[in-house]
Structure formats: structure tokens, C-alpha cells
Amino acid sequence: MAKGAESFRYFILGLLAQQEMSGYDIKRFLESLGWLVGNPSFGSIYPALHALLEDGLVTVEVVSRPDKPPRKIYAITKAGEQALQDWVAEPATIGSSRKAFVMQMILVGDFSQTGVIAHLQQRRETVVANHLALEQTIQGMGDRASLGQQLALEYGLTTAGAELTWLDSTLAQMSSDPGSDRLGTAT
Amino acid sequence: MAKGAESFRYFILGLLAQQEMSGYDIKRFLESLGWLVGNPSFGSIYPALHALLEDGLVTVEVVSRPDKPPRKIYAITKAGEQALQDWVAEPATIGSSRKAFVMQMILVGDFSQTGVIAHLQQRRETVVANHLALEQTIQGMGDRASLGQQLALEYGLTTAGAELTWLDSTLAQMSSDPGSDRLGTAT
DNA sequence: ACGCACATGTAATCAGTTACATGATTCT
DNA sequence: AGAATCATGTAACTGATTACATGTGCGT
């Protein structure tokens, strides 16, 4: 069963669901999103692609173009779509990382915006919990904390607060707007 | 030479510089900071401690207390302090992770607040670069992005912006205030 | 012929987690 | 005697990075 929630494997599969690509393309796309999801090296991408192929979740097609070296275009299969949906709908994963959140949000955006809302709410809970835990730590440490510790704590509190604000406003916006002004999709 | 900038090893050493502790203590302290720096397992902490001991950067003392099981208290050595300072002052590391930033800030707070300022400025540059890169990606993708992608991009932009705001205000605050109202330390 | 951008791949290595194993002390 | 908490440790495994190795087609 689909294990390894924080892994790039399923994220790569999800990207292939959005559009068929080569390993090289995936690398560049990931680079364009940069720090948001991190960018795995080729030494990570190619083996992942091979594994997906092994499991029958994707297919390859070698495409030789006249002016450029040949590329291996990977496309998702029915089985792959099923596995992806299982992963995306996966039990909440409270306390998961920011990267995992962003990755899942990117993928879930393909299916339903109700799913997106659920993910945002999930994230909200995680951030609230983080914020709370940090406040309690500050209570406990009081003024015994060093300068660096105090700054770190403030930093955490502030960034968590900002994230919360964004989540709330986005959530409000998406809830009030059942259709979709962003995409031509839906109905 | 001090390699492995993102490693917990030096961070643990830094914590020992602030206060001598056991492996167990370190674990609990890290848990109290939670997601800010992540919390390594014992399987990571104890070997790290052994390695530091090997390198002569720390010393151990077994302390048997009457009512509790014995503990191994680790304390930093002169050599350890030197190694730590080298690590903390290390060449900028632009583009490093948030965790690395928080870890270094916590440690550098022990030495000088000029060092802290330098670190904050360093972080500022990184965040500005991230923000800019994200904006360019948005330009490039335009409205071809999926809902999930658009949200991810917005999310990144917003959180980076918030971090920048905090950095600027903290930087302003610290620059205008050369002494130290937070600590009794300084000159 | 050479270097460069594009493109794919593998092996060695590394940092960290999980699971396992041990043991002291206190409480019931 | 057994469970619970505090405390330390090791071995197997995993996920990813680094460095290496290969090859195409284009411009010079």
C-alpha cells in the first residue's frame, strides 16, 4: 500500500497526471517552484521514474526529435491515477511538513476544489497547533531564553501567524465562491 | 574541516555551549522548539554525541543521582568552542534552509548581536531571492497554472513577504539598539 | 576536433529514522 | 513481580545527494 507520504515519488506521479513529461522536464519544473517543494537531483528523479514504471503506474515513450537528443516521455496510466487519488485523499496527516502540504495542494488542485478546501483546513489545524505549542514554550522559558532563542521563538510565532492569516483568507475566498474563476474547469 | 552545514551535529554542540546537558535533555529541548528546527531521534542524537566526544569537542561525566537513573552530562571543551565559532561564522551559506537559519540564529545569539544582525541580513537576501524567483515563475506560467499551482505560488509569495516584514522590523529594532535590553550580557 | 547544452543513467555515500535491546528506579 | 518513567545505546533500513559515466546533436 501507498507508503512514504513525504516522498517525491507520488508528487512526480502527480505532475505526470497534469502533463506528460521527461525526467529533465520534471527537474526544471521543480526548480521553478524552488524552495516551496525542494528540488531533487537527477539521482533521485530517474530512479523514481523507473520505480513508477516497474509498478505500472506510468508508461514511457522514447521521442526522438530531429534537432535535439531523444527524450523519454513518461505518461500516467489508469493504475497510476488510482494510486495517485489514494495518496492525495490520504488520511489527513496532521503535523506534516510545509513541503508535504504544498505538494499535496498542487496535486489536489487537479481534482476538486472541495479537496483543496479540506487540505487548507488540515493545514490550518497543523499551524494552529504549532503556534500554540510555541506559545507554551515561551511561557515555560520566560526570560531565561537567550537572545537567539527569543528571536527564533518570535520568528516562529510571526511566520505561523502570517500563514494562518493567508489560510483563513484563502479559505474564506474559496468557500464563498463555489464555482471557479481561476480555471475554466468545474461545473 | 567543519563540513555538513545542515547537520544537527554542530547545533547540538552549540546547545552544549549554552548549557551542559544529557542526550535526553537535548531531545526534550528540541521538542520544545518543535517544527522550527525539527526533532532528531535518539538514534541520531546519541551517535552525534559520541562523535563529538571522539573529536574531543565535548567531555562526558556520568552523574548518578539518588532517586533517578544515572545520566551522562556532556559539556563543551575549548576545542569545541573553537569549532563552534568557526561553524557559526561560516561563509554566509546563501540559499540555505529555514531550519539552518533558525539553528544558526539560536547559536549566534550567544556570541554577539552584531553576528545576529549579519545572520538576519543574510536570511533577508535569501528570502528576497526566493520571492523574486517565485514572481518570475508566476510571470512565466501566467494563467496556464492549475488551481493548485496558483495557490502554491500565492502561498509562497505571501509567506516569503511576511518573513521579509519580520526580518526588516527586527533588523531595524536591533540596529537602533546597540546595547541589549533582552540580555544582561554585552560589554 | 572541441566544447556546450540537452538528456539519461548508476554507484558510493550520507544523514536520519525505525525498531530493537538494555538497564535503573519508583510505584503498585 | 510487573508496569511506568527515565535514560542510553545499536543495527537495519530509507531517502536523497554527490560524483561519476555515457551519449546526442549543434556551433565553431
Side-chain angles (χ1 to χ4, degrees):
Chain A
M1 286 291 159
K3 274 275 67 192
E6 304 259 345
S7 165
F8 275 116
R9 179 125 92 261
Y10 282 88
F11 187 56
I12 288 176
L13 183 62
L15 295 182
L16 294 176
Q18 296 190 348
Q19 187 179 344
E20 50 179 50
M21 295 164 119
S22 70
Y24 205 85
D25 290 333
I26 290 169
K27 183 97 201 310
R28 284 197 301 184
F29 178 75
L30 257 18
E31 264 160 15
S32 78
L33 277 81
W35 54 286
L36 274 178
V37 293
N39 35 319
S41 58
F42 287 123
S44 187
I45 291 173
Y46 288 125
L49 249 14
H50 299 335
L52 289 172
L53 196 61
E54 276 281 294
D55 295 349
L57 306 182
V58 298
T59 55
V60 221
E61 195 193 352
V62 180
V63 177
S64 303
R65 266 123 73 264
D67 55 336
K68 290 281 173 67
R71 330 167 65 230
K72 291 189 175 180
I73 306 296
Y74 291 85
I76 196 164
T77 63
K78 288 277 142 123
E81 271 162 20
Q82 188 54 56
L84 183 60
Q85 239 150 348
D86 291 350
W87 183 69
V88 162
E90 206 168 66
T93 50
I94 191 160
S96 68
S97 70
R98 220 171 39 153
K99 276 185 189 176
F101 160 65
V102 175
M103 287 194 290
Q104 289 205 318
M105 189 169 60
I106 288 174
L107 299 190
V108 88
D110 261 18
F111 300 115
S112 57
Q113 94 272 52
T114 33
V116 173
I117 290 173
H119 257 82
L120 291 171
Q121 280 166 342
Q122 173 61 51
R123 178 63 183 170
R124 189 181 188 282
E125 273 173 55
T126 301
V127 176
V128 166
N130 287 159
H131 195 275
L132 206 63
L134 227 47
E135 276 178 337
Q136 281 171 346
T137 298
I138 290 171
Q139 292 291 317
M141 303 224 301
D143 47 350
R144 290 196 314 288
S146 71
L147 172 61
Q149 276 168 39
Q150 287 183 35
L151 285 174
L153 260 15
E154 265 180 45
Y155 171 84
L157 231 40
T158 305
T159 54
E163 187 172 349
L164 217 49
T165 303
W166 181 82
L167 286 167
D168 283 337
S169 84
T170 304
L171 229 22
Q173 195 179 311
M174 300 221 18
S175 303
S176 70
D177 172 21
S180 130
D181 56 305
R182 295 165 180 281
L183 287 165
T185 57
T187 14
Chain B
M1 290 288 165
K3 274 274 69 190
E6 304 258 347
S7 164
F8 276 116
R9 180 125 91 261
Y10 282 88
F11 186 56
I12 287 175
L13 183 62
L15 294 182
L16 294 176
Q18 296 190 349
Q19 188 180 342
E20 50 178 51
M21 293 164 118
S22 69
Y24 205 83
D25 290 333
I26 289 168
K27 183 96 201 310
R28 284 196 302 184
F29 179 75
L30 257 19
E31 265 160 15
S32 79
L33 278 82
W35 55 285
L36 275 177
V37 293
N39 33 319
S41 59
F42 287 122
S44 187
I45 291 172
Y46 289 124
L49 249 14
H50 299 335
L52 290 172
L53 196 60
E54 276 280 294
D55 295 348
L57 306 182
V58 296
T59 55
V60 221
E61 194 194 352
V62 180
V63 177
S64 303
R65 266 126 70 266
D67 54 336
K68 290 280 175 65
R71 328 167 67 229
K72 290 191 177 180
I73 306 295
Y74 291 85
I76 196 165
T77 63
K78 288 276 142 129
E81 271 163 19
Q82 188 55 55
L84 183 61
Q85 239 151 346
D86 291 350
W87 184 68
V88 162
E90 206 168 66
T93 51
I94 192 160
S96 68
S97 71
R98 220 172 38 154
K99 275 185 190 178
F101 160 64
V102 175
M103 288 195 288
Q104 289 207 318
M105 189 170 60
I106 288 175
L107 299 190
V108 88
D110 261 18
F111 300 115
S112 59
Q113 94 272 53
T114 33
V116 173
I117 289 172
H119 258 81
L120 291 170
Q121 280 167 342
Q122 173 61 52
R123 177 63 184 172
R124 190 182 189 283
E125 273 174 55
T126 301
V127 176
V128 166
N130 287 158
H131 195 275
L132 205 64
L134 228 47
E135 275 176 338
Q136 282 171 345
T137 298
I138 290 171
Q139 293 290 316
M141 305 224 300
D143 47 349
R144 289 198 315 289
S146 71
L147 172 61
Q149 275 168 39
Q150 287 184 37
L151 285 174
L153 260 15
E154 265 180 45
Y155 171 84
L157 231 41
T158 304
T159 54
E163 187 171 348
L164 217 49
T165 303
W166 181 81
L167 286 167
D168 283 338
S169 82
T170 305
L171 230 22
Q173 195 179 312
M174 298 219 22
S175 304
S176 71
D177 172 21
S180 133
D181 57 304
R182 295 165 180 283
L183 289 165
T185 57
T187 36

